[in-house]
């Protein structure tokens, strides 16, 4: 299976249309990115049920910035519109297969519950941080 080129124009559509998406953030001048490319392409052939995508960080600087990509290559896995994995560095084939297997085995109901709990906790911390400021006024 060939990989999908992600751009700021098609990103939201591709992510929302696919339950399981692997994203390789890369650039043509990056040596480790070029070394990782055949490993990534090979995995896409072994997993035709998954969508493998690439973001050229030079051409798509807004996308790279939105995901705070600071080092390339960076691999991200998105399941059901939730980023469940993100790690910089070129993974060897066995490690990539292991990550894919772990992502496949995630209980997405548990992941969503955890995300909701974290968001609620952050919102509560934000409210607590604002209270002392309001009391000082």
């Amino acid at each position: 299976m060939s990989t999908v080129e992600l751009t700021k124009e098609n990103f939201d559509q591709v992510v929302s249309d696919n339950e399981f998406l692997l994203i390789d953030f890369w650039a043509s001048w990056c040596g480790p990115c070029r070394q990782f490319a055949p490993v990534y392409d090979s995995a896409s052939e072994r997993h035709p049920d998954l969508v493998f995508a690439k973001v050229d960080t030079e051409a798509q600087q807004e996308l790279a910035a939105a995901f705070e990509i600071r080092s390339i290559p960076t691999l991200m896995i998105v399941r059901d519109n939730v980023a469940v994995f993100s790690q910089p560095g070129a993974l060897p084939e066995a490690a990539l297969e292991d990550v894919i297997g772990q992502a496949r085995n995630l209980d997405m109901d548990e992941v969503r519950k955890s995300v909701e709990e974290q968001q609620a906790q952050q919102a509560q911390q934000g409210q607590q941080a604002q209270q002392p400021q309001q009391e000082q006024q």
Side-chain angles (χ1 to χ4, degrees), residues 11 21-25 40 67 69 74-78 83-87:
F11 185 87
L21 179 70
L22 292 93
I23 306 170
D24 174 21
F25 290 87
Y40 191 71
F67 287 97
I69 302 301
T74 290
L75 176 67
M76 182 176 289
I77 298 177
V78 178
V84 296
F85 178 85
S86 181
Q87 178 178 310

Side-chain angles (χ1 to χ4, degrees), residues 2 10 14 17-18 24 27-28 33 37 43 50 55 57 61 68 77 80 86 101 104 107 112-113 128 133 136:
S2 63
N10 73 356
V14 172
D17 286 353
N18 295 284
D24 174 21
S28 60
C33 297
L50 306 180
V55 173
T57 57
Q61 293 181 12
E68 299 179 359
I77 298 177
D80 300 339
S86 181
R104 279 186 188 276
D107 179 339
R112 279 187 286 280
K113 181 179 172 187
Q128 290 172 349
Q133 292 174 352
Q136 291 174 359

Side-chain angles (χ1 to χ4, degrees), residues 51-116:
V51 176
F52 285 72
K54 289 181 162 278
V55 173
D56 180 346
T57 57
E58 287 294 305
Q60 301 298 323
Q61 293 181 12
E62 287 180 49
L63 272 181
F67 287 97
E68 299 179 359
I69 302 301
R70 307 224 187 294
S71 180
I72 54 175
T74 290
L75 176 67
M76 182 176 289
I77 298 177
V78 178
R79 277 199 58 196
D80 300 339
N81 293 315
V82 177
V84 296
F85 178 85
S86 181
Q87 178 178 310
L91 295 174
E93 194 168 313
L96 178 57
E97 288 298 316
D98 183 51
V99 166
I100 291 171
Q102 288 183 48
R104 279 186 188 276
N105 292 329
L106 286 173
D107 179 339
M108 289 309 294
D109 290 334
E110 286 295 317
V111 170
R112 279 187 286 280
K113 181 179 172 187
S114 176
V115 168
E116 289 170 8

